[in-house]
Amino acid sequence: MTMVAVNTYTHSVTYVTDNILKSLKDIIRLSGLDPSEFVGDWASSHRAISAWLETHDLAKVILEIFDPFTNSLIGRWDMDIAYGWTGDGGFYTDTDQIKYHIRKAGLAPSQARYRLVVRHRPGARDVAGWSSTTLRSTDGLSRQSLCSTVEHAGLGASASYWREELMLTVEEAFRKFKSRLELNQREQDNASARQNEVRDFLVTKFSIDRSFLTGSYKRHTKTKPLKDIDIFFQLAEAERHYRDEAPDKVIDAFHDALVEKYGASAVRKQTRSVNVDFGVVVDAEDNTDYRVVSVDVVPAFADGDDYEIPDRGLGKWIRTNPETHAAKATAAHQAYSSEWKGLVRMVKYWNNHAGQGDKPIKPSFLIEVMALDCLYGGWGGRFDYEIQSLFETLADRIHDTWPDPAGLGPPISGGMDNTQRDRARRLLKDAAAQATRAIDQARRGQNGEALKAWRQLFGPKFPLS
Protein backbone atom coordinates (compact mmCIF):
# COMPACT_ATOMS: atom_id res chain seq x y z
CA MET A 1 0.00 0.00 0.00
CA THR A 2 2.81 2.37 0.86
CA MET A 3 4.50 1.91 -2.52
CA VAL A 4 1.22 2.41 -4.32
CA ALA A 5 0.58 5.68 -2.47
CA VAL A 6 4.06 7.00 -3.16
CA ASN A 7 3.89 6.09 -6.81
CA THR A 8 0.44 7.66 -7.09
CA TYR A 9 1.69 10.91 -5.54
CA THR A 10 4.68 10.88 -7.89
CA HIS A 11 2.25 10.48 -10.77
CA SER A 12 0.28 13.47 -9.45
CA VAL A 13 3.49 15.53 -9.29
CA THR A 14 4.32 14.66 -12.90
CA TYR A 15 0.79 15.46 -14.10
CA VAL A 16 0.62 18.81 -12.27
CA THR A 17 4.14 19.82 -13.38
CA ASP A 18 3.41 18.96 -17.01
CA ASN A 19 0.17 20.91 -17.07
CA ILE A 20 1.49 23.96 -15.24
CA LEU A 21 4.18 24.25 -17.88
CA LYS A 22 1.75 23.57 -20.74
CA SER A 23 -0.59 26.25 -19.37
CA LEU A 24 2.24 28.78 -19.12
CA LYS A 25 3.33 27.95 -22.66
CA ASP A 26 -0.23 28.67 -23.83
CA ILE A 27 -0.19 31.97 -21.95
CA ILE A 28 3.07 33.01 -23.63
CA ARG A 29 1.90 31.98 -27.11
CA LEU A 30 -1.61 33.46 -26.85
CA SER A 31 -0.18 36.70 -25.40
CA GLY A 32 1.63 37.17 -28.71
CA LEU A 33 5.09 36.21 -27.45
CA ASP A 34 7.56 33.63 -28.77
CA PRO A 35 7.58 30.51 -26.53
CA SER A 36 10.83 29.08 -27.97
CA GLU A 37 12.96 30.25 -25.04
CA PHE A 38 10.45 28.78 -22.60
CA VAL A 39 10.43 25.47 -24.48
CA GLY A 40 14.23 25.44 -24.50
CA ASP A 41 14.25 25.64 -20.69
CA TRP A 42 11.49 23.05 -20.31
CA ALA A 43 13.65 20.28 -18.85
CA SER A 44 15.22 22.57 -16.25
CA SER A 45 11.85 24.04 -15.30
CA HIS A 46 10.26 20.59 -15.06
CA ARG A 47 13.08 19.32 -12.86
CA ALA A 48 12.78 22.21 -10.38
CA ILE A 49 8.98 22.27 -10.16
CA SER A 50 8.63 18.51 -9.74
CA ALA A 51 11.47 18.34 -7.20
CA TRP A 52 9.88 20.94 -4.93
CA LEU A 53 6.39 19.49 -5.43
CA GLU A 54 7.71 16.11 -4.27
CA THR A 55 8.91 17.63 -0.98
CA HIS A 56 5.85 19.89 -0.56
CA ASP A 57 8.14 22.93 -0.74
CA LEU A 58 6.80 24.54 -3.92
CA ALA A 59 4.61 27.58 -3.15
CA LYS A 60 4.12 29.36 -6.45
CA VAL A 61 5.16 29.32 -10.11
CA ILE A 62 5.26 32.80 -11.65
CA LEU A 63 5.48 34.02 -15.23
CA GLU A 64 6.61 37.66 -15.38
CA ILE A 65 5.99 39.63 -18.59
CA PHE A 66 8.07 42.80 -18.56
CA ASP A 67 9.39 45.70 -20.61
CA PRO A 68 13.13 45.08 -21.21
CA PHE A 69 13.84 48.80 -21.64
CA THR A 70 12.27 50.02 -18.38
CA ASN A 71 12.46 46.67 -16.54
CA SER A 72 8.92 47.34 -15.32
CA LEU A 73 6.25 44.69 -15.07
CA ILE A 74 3.63 44.63 -17.85
CA GLY A 75 1.71 41.62 -16.57
CA ARG A 76 2.15 38.50 -14.47
CA TRP A 77 0.62 35.04 -14.16
CA ASP A 78 0.78 33.12 -10.88
CA MET A 79 0.18 29.42 -10.24
CA ASP A 80 -0.42 28.95 -6.49
CA ILE A 81 0.12 25.38 -5.31
CA ALA A 82 -2.45 23.56 -3.15
CA TYR A 83 -1.40 20.43 -1.25
CA GLY A 84 -4.70 18.66 -0.73
CA TRP A 85 -3.63 15.30 -2.17
CA THR A 86 -6.14 12.56 -1.36
CA GLY A 87 -5.09 9.78 -3.70
CA ASP A 88 -8.58 9.47 -5.14
CA GLY A 89 -7.28 9.53 -8.73
CA GLY A 90 -9.39 12.45 -9.98
CA PHE A 91 -7.67 14.88 -12.33
CA TYR A 92 -8.37 17.76 -14.71
CA THR A 93 -6.81 20.78 -16.44
CA ASP A 94 -9.13 23.69 -17.31
CA THR A 95 -7.48 25.01 -20.46
CA ASP A 96 -10.63 26.82 -21.59
CA GLN A 97 -10.65 28.89 -18.40
CA ILE A 98 -7.04 29.96 -18.97
CA LYS A 99 -7.62 30.83 -22.64
CA TYR A 100 -10.69 32.86 -21.72
CA HIS A 101 -8.70 34.99 -19.29
CA ILE A 102 -5.73 35.33 -21.63
CA ARG A 103 -8.09 37.00 -24.09
CA LYS A 104 -9.27 39.34 -21.33
CA ALA A 105 -5.71 40.17 -20.32
CA GLY A 106 -4.89 41.05 -23.91
CA LEU A 107 -1.78 40.81 -26.05
CA ALA A 108 1.58 41.83 -24.64
CA PRO A 109 3.50 44.65 -26.37
CA SER A 110 5.82 43.46 -29.12
CA GLN A 111 8.97 44.42 -27.19
CA ALA A 112 7.92 42.48 -24.08
CA ARG A 113 10.04 39.71 -22.61
CA TYR A 114 9.18 37.05 -20.02
CA ARG A 115 10.83 34.88 -17.40
CA LEU A 116 9.81 32.00 -15.15
CA VAL A 117 10.22 32.40 -11.39
CA VAL A 118 9.62 29.64 -8.86
CA ARG A 119 9.00 30.39 -5.17
CA HIS A 120 9.53 27.70 -2.57
CA ARG A 121 9.38 27.51 1.19
CA PRO A 122 12.47 28.40 3.28
CA GLY A 123 14.85 25.51 3.72
CA ALA A 124 13.97 23.74 0.48
CA ARG A 125 16.82 21.82 -1.11
CA ASP A 126 18.76 23.40 -3.95
CA VAL A 127 18.12 22.44 -7.56
CA ALA A 128 20.93 22.84 -10.07
CA GLY A 129 20.53 25.84 -12.37
CA TRP A 130 18.21 27.76 -10.04
CA SER A 131 19.18 30.66 -7.77
CA SER A 132 17.51 33.43 -5.79
CA THR A 133 16.03 36.51 -7.46
CA THR A 134 13.77 39.49 -6.75
CA LEU A 135 10.31 39.83 -8.24
CA ARG A 136 9.43 43.01 -10.12
CA SER A 137 7.05 45.42 -8.41
CA THR A 138 3.32 44.99 -9.00
CA ASP A 139 2.60 48.68 -8.30
CA GLY A 140 -0.19 49.85 -10.58
CA LEU A 141 -1.44 46.30 -11.19
CA SER A 142 -4.41 44.44 -9.70
CA ARG A 143 -4.65 40.71 -9.14
CA GLN A 144 -7.43 38.78 -10.89
CA SER A 145 -7.94 35.29 -9.43
CA LEU A 146 -9.17 32.16 -11.19
CA CYS A 147 -10.39 28.94 -9.57
CA SER A 148 -8.38 25.73 -9.51
CA THR A 149 -6.79 25.29 -12.92
CA VAL A 150 -4.78 22.06 -12.65
CA GLU A 151 -5.50 19.21 -10.23
CA HIS A 152 -4.61 15.59 -9.77
CA ALA A 153 -5.95 13.72 -6.76
CA GLY A 154 -6.08 16.95 -4.75
CA LEU A 155 -2.59 18.20 -5.65
CA GLY A 156 -3.10 21.23 -7.84
CA ALA A 157 -2.54 24.81 -8.84
CA SER A 158 -4.84 27.82 -9.00
CA ALA A 159 -4.07 30.50 -11.57
CA SER A 160 -4.29 34.28 -11.22
CA TYR A 161 -2.99 37.13 -13.28
CA TRP A 162 -1.98 40.72 -12.64
CA ARG A 163 -3.54 43.32 -14.92
CA GLU A 164 -3.36 47.08 -15.16
CA GLU A 165 -5.65 48.74 -12.66
CA LEU A 166 -8.51 50.76 -14.04
CA MET A 167 -6.65 53.90 -15.02
CA LEU A 168 -7.63 57.34 -13.85
CA THR A 169 -7.56 60.36 -16.09
CA VAL A 170 -5.05 63.00 -15.03
CA GLU A 171 -7.89 65.19 -13.78
CA GLU A 172 -9.37 62.32 -11.75
CA ALA A 173 -5.94 61.57 -10.30
CA PHE A 174 -5.48 65.17 -9.19
CA ARG A 175 -8.93 65.18 -7.60
CA LYS A 176 -8.06 62.01 -5.70
CA PHE A 177 -4.66 63.45 -4.76
CA LYS A 178 -6.33 66.57 -3.43
CA SER A 179 -8.71 64.46 -1.35
CA ARG A 180 -5.88 62.36 0.07
CA LEU A 181 -4.16 65.49 1.36
CA GLU A 182 -7.26 66.76 3.17
CA LEU A 183 -7.63 66.11 6.89
CA ASN A 184 -10.31 63.62 7.82
CA GLN A 185 -12.28 63.50 11.05
CA ARG A 186 -10.04 60.94 12.74
CA GLU A 187 -6.99 63.13 12.11
CA GLN A 188 -8.78 66.21 13.39
CA ASP A 189 -9.87 64.33 16.51
CA ASN A 190 -6.31 63.19 17.16
CA ALA A 191 -4.96 66.73 16.69
CA SER A 192 -7.53 68.04 19.17
CA ALA A 193 -6.65 65.28 21.64
CA ARG A 194 -2.93 66.11 21.39
CA GLN A 195 -3.68 69.81 21.95
CA ASN A 196 -5.66 68.97 25.09
CA GLU A 197 -2.97 66.58 26.30
CA VAL A 198 -0.19 69.19 25.97
CA ARG A 199 -2.39 71.94 27.42
CA ASP A 200 -3.48 69.84 30.42
CA PHE A 201 0.17 69.33 31.26
CA LEU A 202 1.39 72.90 30.64
CA VAL A 203 -1.32 74.48 32.79
CA THR A 204 0.36 72.74 35.71
CA LYS A 205 3.59 74.61 34.85
CA PHE A 206 2.42 78.00 33.58
CA SER A 207 -0.51 80.37 33.97
CA ILE A 208 -2.29 80.07 30.60
CA ASP A 209 -5.35 82.06 29.54
CA ARG A 210 -6.15 79.86 26.55
CA SER A 211 -4.66 77.58 23.91
CA PHE A 212 -5.75 77.01 20.34
CA LEU A 213 -4.71 75.16 17.19
CA THR A 214 -3.45 77.57 14.56
CA GLY A 215 -1.06 77.86 11.62
CA SER A 216 -1.60 75.85 8.44
CA TYR A 217 -3.71 73.32 10.35
CA LYS A 218 -6.26 75.97 11.20
CA ARG A 219 -6.08 77.47 7.70
CA HIS A 220 -6.68 74.00 6.15
CA THR A 221 -3.43 74.19 4.20
CA LYS A 222 -1.59 71.56 6.25
CA THR A 223 -0.42 68.64 4.12
CA LYS A 224 0.37 65.00 4.91
CA PRO A 225 1.85 63.50 6.94
CA LEU A 226 0.56 65.57 9.87
CA LYS A 227 3.68 67.12 11.35
CA ASP A 228 4.46 70.28 13.31
CA ILE A 229 0.89 71.36 14.05
CA ASP A 230 1.02 74.80 15.69
CA ILE A 231 -0.57 75.24 19.12
CA PHE A 232 -0.59 78.79 20.54
CA PHE A 233 -0.45 79.10 24.32
CA GLN A 234 -1.58 82.57 25.36
CA LEU A 235 0.15 83.26 28.65
CA ALA A 236 -1.65 85.07 31.47
CA GLU A 237 -0.51 88.28 33.15
CA ALA A 238 1.16 86.21 35.89
CA GLU A 239 3.75 85.18 33.28
CA ARG A 240 4.30 88.73 31.96
CA HIS A 241 7.88 88.72 33.30
CA TYR A 242 8.86 86.49 30.36
CA ARG A 243 7.90 89.30 27.99
CA ASP A 244 10.49 91.52 29.62
CA GLU A 245 13.24 88.96 29.04
CA ALA A 246 15.05 87.63 25.97
CA PRO A 247 13.00 85.19 23.84
CA ASP A 248 15.30 82.33 24.84
CA LYS A 249 13.98 82.43 28.39
CA VAL A 250 10.40 81.44 27.64
CA ILE A 251 11.50 78.93 24.99
CA ASP A 252 13.88 77.36 27.51
CA ALA A 253 11.15 77.23 30.17
CA PHE A 254 8.65 75.55 27.85
CA HIS A 255 11.33 73.16 26.61
CA ASP A 256 12.32 72.10 30.11
CA ALA A 257 8.71 71.60 31.14
CA LEU A 258 7.88 69.46 28.11
CA VAL A 259 11.00 67.34 28.60
CA GLU A 260 9.55 66.31 31.96
CA LYS A 261 6.56 64.74 30.22
CA TYR A 262 7.90 63.54 26.87
CA GLY A 263 11.64 63.06 27.43
CA ALA A 264 14.64 64.91 26.05
CA SER A 265 14.81 62.89 22.82
CA ALA A 266 11.25 63.90 21.86
CA VAL A 267 11.51 67.63 22.57
CA ARG A 268 13.59 70.23 20.73
CA LYS A 269 13.86 74.01 20.69
CA GLN A 270 13.05 75.88 17.48
CA THR A 271 13.25 79.54 16.52
CA ARG A 272 9.75 80.45 17.71
CA SER A 273 8.44 77.28 19.32
CA VAL A 274 9.19 73.98 21.00
CA ASN A 275 8.61 70.86 18.95
CA VAL A 276 7.22 67.69 20.54
CA ASP A 277 7.56 64.43 18.59
CA PHE A 278 5.09 61.71 19.55
CA GLY A 279 7.08 58.85 18.03
CA VAL A 280 4.50 58.07 15.35
CA VAL A 281 5.97 56.02 12.48
CA VAL A 282 5.32 57.32 8.96
CA ASP A 283 5.10 54.45 6.47
CA ALA A 284 6.28 54.41 2.85
CA GLU A 285 2.93 55.78 1.65
CA ASP A 286 3.07 58.67 4.15
CA ASN A 287 0.36 57.13 6.32
CA THR A 288 0.39 57.57 10.10
CA ASP A 289 -2.75 55.63 11.04
CA TYR A 290 -4.53 59.02 11.24
CA ARG A 291 -2.24 60.24 14.02
CA VAL A 292 -0.34 63.49 14.48
CA VAL A 293 3.44 63.06 14.24
CA SER A 294 4.44 66.22 16.12
CA VAL A 295 3.26 69.60 17.37
CA ASP A 296 4.93 73.01 17.67
CA VAL A 297 4.19 74.63 21.02
CA VAL A 298 4.22 78.43 20.64
CA PRO A 299 4.27 80.67 23.76
CA ALA A 300 2.41 83.93 23.13
CA PHE A 301 1.11 87.08 24.79
CA ALA A 302 -2.00 88.93 23.67
CA ASP A 303 -1.33 92.40 22.23
CA GLY A 304 -4.75 93.88 21.55
CA ASP A 305 -6.18 91.86 18.67
CA ASP A 306 -2.71 90.60 17.80
CA TYR A 307 -0.13 88.41 19.53
CA GLU A 308 3.53 88.63 20.42
CA ILE A 309 5.68 85.52 20.12
CA PRO A 310 9.39 84.93 20.83
CA ASP A 311 11.90 84.83 17.98
CA ARG A 312 15.25 83.41 19.09
CA GLY A 313 16.81 84.06 15.67
CA LEU A 314 16.09 87.80 15.82
CA GLY A 315 16.59 87.97 19.57
CA LYS A 316 13.31 89.80 20.16
CA TRP A 317 9.55 89.37 20.43
CA ILE A 318 7.61 89.80 17.18
CA ARG A 319 3.97 90.55 16.48
CA THR A 320 1.70 88.23 14.52
CA ASN A 321 -1.97 87.56 13.91
CA PRO A 322 -3.02 84.03 12.89
CA GLU A 323 -6.60 85.18 12.38
CA THR A 324 -5.50 87.64 9.68
CA HIS A 325 -3.47 84.93 7.97
CA ALA A 326 -6.49 82.61 8.04
CA ALA A 327 -8.81 85.29 6.66
CA LYS A 328 -6.51 85.98 3.72
CA ALA A 329 -6.24 82.27 2.94
CA THR A 330 -10.03 81.92 3.05
CA ALA A 331 -10.51 84.89 0.72
CA ALA A 332 -7.96 83.50 -1.77
CA HIS A 333 -9.63 80.10 -1.63
CA GLN A 334 -13.05 81.54 -2.38
CA ALA A 335 -11.68 83.69 -5.20
CA TYR A 336 -10.13 80.59 -6.76
CA SER A 337 -13.35 78.56 -6.91
CA SER A 338 -12.38 76.77 -3.68
CA GLU A 339 -9.29 75.20 -5.31
CA TRP A 340 -6.60 77.48 -3.83
CA LYS A 341 -6.00 75.52 -0.62
CA GLY A 342 -5.81 72.22 -2.50
CA LEU A 343 -3.14 73.60 -4.85
CA VAL A 344 -1.17 74.96 -1.88
CA ARG A 345 -1.32 71.59 -0.11
CA MET A 346 0.00 69.90 -3.26
CA VAL A 347 3.03 72.18 -3.48
CA LYS A 348 3.65 71.79 0.26
CA TYR A 349 3.55 68.03 -0.20
CA TRP A 350 6.11 68.36 -3.01
CA ASN A 351 8.19 70.51 -0.66
CA ASN A 352 8.24 67.57 1.77
CA HIS A 353 9.13 65.08 -1.00
CA ALA A 354 11.38 67.00 -3.33
CA GLY A 355 13.88 64.12 -3.23
CA GLN A 356 16.86 65.99 -1.89
CA GLY A 357 16.49 65.80 1.86
CA ASP A 358 16.06 69.30 3.21
CA LYS A 359 12.89 71.21 2.28
CA PRO A 360 13.60 73.58 -0.62
CA ILE A 361 11.25 76.31 0.69
CA LYS A 362 11.42 77.38 4.33
CA PRO A 363 9.22 77.94 6.16
CA SER A 364 6.40 76.09 4.44
CA PHE A 365 4.23 79.11 5.22
CA LEU A 366 6.23 80.96 2.56
CA ILE A 367 4.52 78.78 -0.08
CA GLU A 368 1.14 80.07 1.12
CA VAL A 369 2.31 83.66 1.21
CA MET A 370 3.69 83.45 -2.33
CA ALA A 371 0.55 81.65 -3.54
CA LEU A 372 -1.58 84.60 -2.40
CA ASP A 373 -0.03 86.48 -5.32
CA CYS A 374 1.26 83.76 -7.65
CA LEU A 375 -2.06 81.95 -8.05
CA TYR A 376 -3.55 84.70 -10.15
CA GLY A 377 -6.67 85.31 -12.21
CA GLY A 378 -8.98 82.64 -10.84
CA TRP A 379 -9.32 78.91 -11.34
CA GLY A 380 -8.92 77.90 -14.98
CA GLY A 381 -10.30 74.38 -14.67
CA ARG A 382 -7.17 72.21 -14.96
CA PHE A 383 -4.91 71.09 -12.12
CA ASP A 384 -2.00 70.18 -14.39
CA TYR A 385 -1.70 73.62 -15.98
CA GLU A 386 -2.26 75.39 -12.65
CA ILE A 387 0.49 73.38 -10.95
CA GLN A 388 2.88 73.78 -13.89
CA SER A 389 2.44 77.57 -13.85
CA LEU A 390 2.64 77.75 -10.06
CA PHE A 391 5.97 75.90 -9.93
CA GLU A 392 7.39 78.13 -12.67
CA THR A 393 6.18 81.34 -11.02
CA LEU A 394 7.44 80.31 -7.59
CA ALA A 395 10.85 79.65 -9.17
CA ASP A 396 10.93 83.05 -10.84
CA ARG A 397 9.93 84.90 -7.66
CA ILE A 398 11.67 82.96 -4.89
CA HIS A 399 14.28 85.75 -4.61
CA ASP A 400 11.59 88.40 -3.96
CA THR A 401 10.96 89.72 -0.46
CA TRP A 402 7.66 88.39 0.88
CA PRO A 403 6.28 90.38 3.83
CA ASP A 404 4.04 89.10 6.61
CA PRO A 405 0.46 89.14 5.19
CA ALA A 406 -0.74 90.57 8.51
CA GLY A 407 1.69 93.49 8.15
CA LEU A 408 3.06 92.91 11.64
CA GLY A 409 6.12 90.68 11.75
CA PRO A 410 9.35 90.37 9.75
CA PRO A 411 9.28 89.15 6.12
CA ILE A 412 8.24 85.52 5.82
CA SER A 413 11.04 85.06 3.27
CA GLY A 414 13.67 86.24 5.74
CA GLY A 415 14.57 82.73 6.84
CA MET A 416 16.29 81.83 3.55
CA ASP A 417 19.69 83.14 2.43
CA ASN A 418 20.71 83.55 -1.23
CA THR A 419 22.26 80.08 -1.41
CA GLN A 420 19.05 78.49 -0.16
CA ARG A 421 16.98 80.56 -2.57
CA ASP A 422 19.20 79.54 -5.49
CA ARG A 423 18.71 75.90 -4.56
CA ALA A 424 14.95 76.34 -4.20
CA ARG A 425 14.78 78.06 -7.58
CA ARG A 426 16.65 75.21 -9.27
CA LEU A 427 14.38 72.56 -7.73
CA LEU A 428 11.23 74.52 -8.54
CA LYS A 429 12.42 74.87 -12.15
CA ASP A 430 13.01 71.12 -12.24
CA ALA A 431 9.50 70.54 -10.90
CA ALA A 432 8.01 72.82 -13.58
CA ALA A 433 9.94 70.90 -16.25
CA GLN A 434 8.69 67.57 -14.88
CA ALA A 435 5.15 68.91 -14.95
CA THR A 436 5.64 69.96 -18.57
CA ARG A 437 6.81 66.45 -19.51
CA ALA A 438 3.83 64.86 -17.73
CA ILE A 439 1.41 67.17 -19.57
CA ASP A 440 3.06 66.28 -22.88
CA GLN A 441 2.79 62.55 -22.18
CA ALA A 442 -0.93 62.89 -21.49
CA ARG A 443 -1.32 64.98 -24.67
CA ARG A 444 0.26 62.14 -26.67
CA GLY A 445 -2.12 59.58 -25.16
CA GLN A 446 0.41 58.08 -22.73
CA ASN A 447 -1.89 58.46 -19.74
CA GLY A 448 -0.25 55.78 -17.60
CA GLU A 449 3.21 57.28 -18.10
CA ALA A 450 1.80 60.74 -17.31
CA LEU A 451 0.38 59.50 -14.00
CA LYS A 452 3.72 57.90 -13.12
CA ALA A 453 5.50 61.17 -13.92
CA TRP A 454 3.17 63.12 -11.63
CA ARG A 455 3.68 60.54 -8.88
CA GLN A 456 7.45 60.79 -9.28
CA LEU A 457 7.15 64.57 -8.97
CA PHE A 458 4.90 64.67 -5.91
CA GLY A 459 5.40 61.47 -3.99
CA PRO A 460 3.43 58.37 -2.90
CA LYS A 461 0.13 60.14 -2.19
CA PHE A 462 -0.37 60.85 -5.90
CA PRO A 463 -2.57 57.98 -7.17
CA LEU A 464 -1.96 55.78 -10.19
CA SER A 465 -5.40 54.16 -10.10
Side-chain angles (χ1 to χ4, degrees):
M1 287 295 294
T2 302
M3 285 301 296
V4 171
V6 169
N7 288 338
T8 302
Y9 183 72
T10 299
H11 182 60
S12 295
V13 167
T14 302
Y15 179 88
V16 170
T17 302
D18 285 344
N19 284 283
I20 286 175
L21 291 173
K22 288 176 183 177
S23 297
L24 294 176
K25 179 186 173 184
D26 284 342
I27 291 168
I28 293 168
R29 181 176 55 82
L30 295 174
S31 297
L33 302 175
D34 182 0
S36 58
E37 183 178 347
F38 183 83
V39 173
D41 292 334
W42 191 283
S44 175
S45 301
H46 197 287
R47 183 172 61 254
I49 293 171
S50 59
W52 287 318
L53 277 175
E54 283 279 5
T55 58
H56 290 224
D57 287 317
L58 185 65
K60 190 191 298 278
V61 181
I62 299 165
L63 180 72
E64 287 188 330
I65 301 174
F66 61 95
D67 186 326
F69 301 106
T70 65
N71 201 38
S72 59
L73 201 62
I74 295 171
R76 192 176 107 179
W77 287 80
D78 295 356
M79 293 284 186
D80 290 282
I81 306 303
Y83 292 97
W85 187 74
T86 59
D88 62 9
F91 63 93
Y92 66 86
T93 301
D94 195 344
T95 56
D96 289 339
Q97 177 199 44
I98 292 176
K99 290 175 181 177
Y100 174 82
H101 284 281
I102 294 171
R103 288 194 297 270
K104 293 187 72 173
L107 294 174
S110 59
Q111 79 275 14
R113 298 289 303 277
Y114 59 84
R115 70 165 180 166
L116 187 70
V117 180
V118 177
R119 295 186 64 181
H120 57 65
R121 296 189 175 98
R125 67 185 180 90
D126 292 337
V127 173
W130 291 79
S131 59
S132 61
T133 189
T134 300
L135 291 170
R136 291 172 174 84
S137 171
T138 55
D139 284 352
L141 302 178
S142 290
R143 179 170 170 155
Q144 193 80 23
S145 297
L146 285 60
C147 292
S148 181
T149 303
V150 179
E151 184 174 332
H152 191 287
L155 175 66
S158 297
S160 60
Y161 63 96
W162 293 79
R163 56 172 174 78
E164 282 195 353
E165 295 177 341
L166 295 176
M167 195 172 294
L168 299 171
T169 66
V170 170
E171 178 67 15
E172 289 169 340
F174 267 103
R175 287 285 173 195
K176 193 171 183 179
F177 181 41
K178 175 188 169 186
S179 177
R180 286 181 173 184
L181 297 182
E182 293 170 350
L183 305 187
N184 60 42
Q185 191 58 52
R186 288 177 64 183
E187 290 164 330
Q188 293 178 51
D189 290 345
N190 186 252
S192 179
R194 286 300 194 184
Q195 174 204 353
N196 293 334
E197 173 190 310
V198 175
R199 179 202 62 205
D200 290 347
F201 173 73
L202 287 179
V203 294
T204 68
K205 302 294 182 179
F206 303 93
S207 180
I208 295 171
D209 279 345
R210 71 180 184 122
S211 68
F212 54 95
L213 290 162
T214 184
S216 59
Y217 177 88
K218 191 68 174 179
R219 295 189 298 273
H220 303 288
T221 55
K222 176 64 76 176
T223 193
K224 303 289 181 73
L226 278 177
K227 295 181 179 179
D228 308 335
I229 292 180
D230 292 332
I231 311 176
F232 261 42
F233 285 86
Q234 181 183 324
L235 296 170
E237 281 300 311
E239 308 291 354
R240 177 60 65 173
H241 62 94
Y242 283 115
R243 176 61 187 84
D244 300 326
E245 297 174 325
D248 291 276
K249 296 294 184 181
V250 71
I251 295 290
D252 289 346
F254 268 65
H255 173 269
D256 294 346
L258 290 165
V259 165
E260 287 185 33
K261 181 171 178 62
Y262 296 103
S265 62
V267 180
R268 61 186 172 87
K269 301 175 191 177
Q270 301 185 133
T271 303
R272 299 172 184 173
S273 62
V274 178
N275 179 269
V276 180
D277 190 303
F278 299 115
V280 174
V281 176
V282 181
D283 70 15
E285 298 295 317
D286 283 338
N287 298 314
T288 63
D289 193 25
Y290 309 105
R291 293 177 294 168
V292 172
V293 175
S294 59
V295 296
D296 287 344
V297 176
V298 185
F301 284 103
D303 182 20
D305 292 333
D306 304 323
Y307 299 89
E308 290 184 310
I309 61 173
D311 189 311
R312 297 168 65 227
L314 296 175
K316 63 181 182 180
W317 291 74
I318 62 172
R319 295 173 67 207
T320 188
N321 192 314
E323 286 87 357
T324 301
H325 296 160
K328 287 183 176 291
T330 298
H333 188 59
Q334 292 171 349
Y336 228 74
S337 302
S338 298
E339 301 291 0
W340 186 88
K341 291 182 180 181
L343 291 166
V344 168
R345 280 193 297 269
M346 291 176 193
V347 177
K348 282 189 170 185
Y349 187 71
W350 166 85
N351 200 45
N352 290 341
H353 287 272
Q356 66 292 317
D358 212 14
K359 291 181 181 180
I361 302 175
K362 292 183 178 181
S364 296
F365 182 42
L366 178 56
I367 294 171
E368 286 185 60
V369 173
M370 295 178 73
L372 288 171
D373 190 60
C374 295
L375 283 173
Y376 169 77
W379 170 248
R382 285 185 56 169
F383 281 104
D384 52 358
Y385 282 144
E386 294 283 353
I387 284 291
Q388 178 196 40
S389 176
L390 182 54
F391 275 129
E392 190 69 35
T393 307
L394 292 174
D396 288 344
R397 301 191 61 188
I398 192 66
H399 280 277
D400 293 0
T401 298
W402 295 92
D404 175 10
L408 298 171
I412 306 302
S413 54
M416 296 178 68
D417 59 29
N418 283 334
T419 299
Q420 291 171 316
R421 291 173 194 242
D422 287 342
R423 174 175 173 269
R425 184 178 189 277
R426 174 175 55 81
L427 293 170
L428 286 162
K429 284 284 189 183
D430 288 346
Q434 283 183 270
T436 300
R437 287 192 291 272
I439 290 170
D440 183 60
Q441 286 172 322
R443 184 186 298 119
R444 289 186 282 115
Q446 298 173 355
N447 193 70
E449 293 305 310
L451 294 179
K452 291 176 184 177
W454 285 115
R455 183 183 178 96
Q456 183 180 18
L457 171 60
F458 282 112
K461 286 291 183 187
F462 193 92
L464 297 177
S465 61

